[in-house]
Amino acid sequence: MSKTILLATSVVTIVVLFHSPASAFAGSSALTGTWKAQETKQQKDARLRAVKAATAKLSFFVRGRARSKLTKATTPVSRIMIAIEGGRVTLGSVTLKLDATPVEVKGKRGKAKLSAKLSGSQLIVAARTSKATRTTTYRAKGSQLIVDVSMKSAKLGAPLRYQVTYTRSR
């Protein structure tokens, strides 16, 4: 359970951690740019409560370890770089078509399929493994980037949902 969710989380984290020059991100979308994490205390508390709720029905013997891993896996990355241009989105060093075509990526913990699509002004990125799904929705709100995350796995008692705010870097 934890390895699968961590894989999907790791893949998305890897995607947004690699930095490219800002000049590579010329585009007209309000989402395009470099964003810095500004998780509020309320968001952090809500994220930790979501981890606790999602793992509440797990066996006592695995619950603590699962919570620890999920807490680490859901901790926001410090920066996100997004470029949307010409039917494609670049998140850090990974470029995806905006038609929801899945692309297989490999990481230290295995394989996942990433896909992206635009829904109105929102960017929706899905990371899927054989056992879990992580859907991340990005939406610009003025100088803020609101990131909503939903993680689902048959081994979790409930979907894990949380939100993080980022601000545009200058």
Side-chain angles (χ1 to χ4, degrees):
M1 177 278 311
S2 297
K3 288 182 181 179
T4 304
I5 291 174
L6 287 175
L7 168 64
T9 302
S10 296
V11 168
V12 173
T13 301
I14 289 167
V15 166
V16 297
L17 281 179
F18 289 101
H19 299 291
S20 299
S23 61
F25 292 104
S28 60
S29 171
L31 297 168
T32 294
T34 302
W35 303 88
K36 182 179 176 187
Q38 298 293 320
E39 182 180 44
T40 66
K41 179 179 180 347
Q42 292 84 3
Q43 288 174 332
K44 181 177 182 179
D45 291 346
R47 179 172 55 82
L48 296 176
R49 280 192 309 274
V51 167
K52 187 174 181 179
T55 57
K57 293 185 179 180
L58 294 177
S59 159
F60 170 78
F61 298 104
V62 297
R63 186 181 314 133
R65 185 171 180 207
R67 284 182 180 165
S68 177
K69 286 185 173 189
L70 284 171
T71 297
K72 183 177 178 183
T74 60
T75 300
V77 295
S78 62
R79 290 183 181 265
I80 297 176
M81 298 179 75
I82 301 173
I84 298 176
E85 190 171 1
R88 295 184 181 275
V89 60
T90 301
L91 293 162
S93 64
V94 175
T95 300
L96 302 167
K97 289 183 181 179
L98 287 169
D99 62 2
T101 301
V103 174
E104 189 171 284
V105 294
K106 296 177 185 177
K108 291 180 181 178
R109 295 190 174 117
K111 299 177 190 177
K113 290 189 178 183
L114 286 179
S115 63
K117 67 179 181 176
L118 284 176
S119 178
S121 60
Q122 297 182 356
L123 171 64
I124 302 169
V125 178
R128 290 176 172 64
T129 69
S130 62
K131 298 178 183 174
T133 301
R134 176 184 173 125
T135 304
T136 307
T137 303
Y138 302 89
R139 59 188 165 89
K141 184 178 178 183
S143 64
Q144 294 184 323
L145 179 70
I146 308 301
V147 179
D148 293 298
V149 180
S150 175
M151 299 168 72
K152 297 177 185 176
S153 170
K155 293 188 179 184
L156 289 178
L160 193 161
R161 293 185 174 98
Y162 63 96
Q163 184 178 84
V164 180
T165 301
Y166 287 77
T167 56
R168 191 178 295 278
S169 293
R170 303 277 173 212

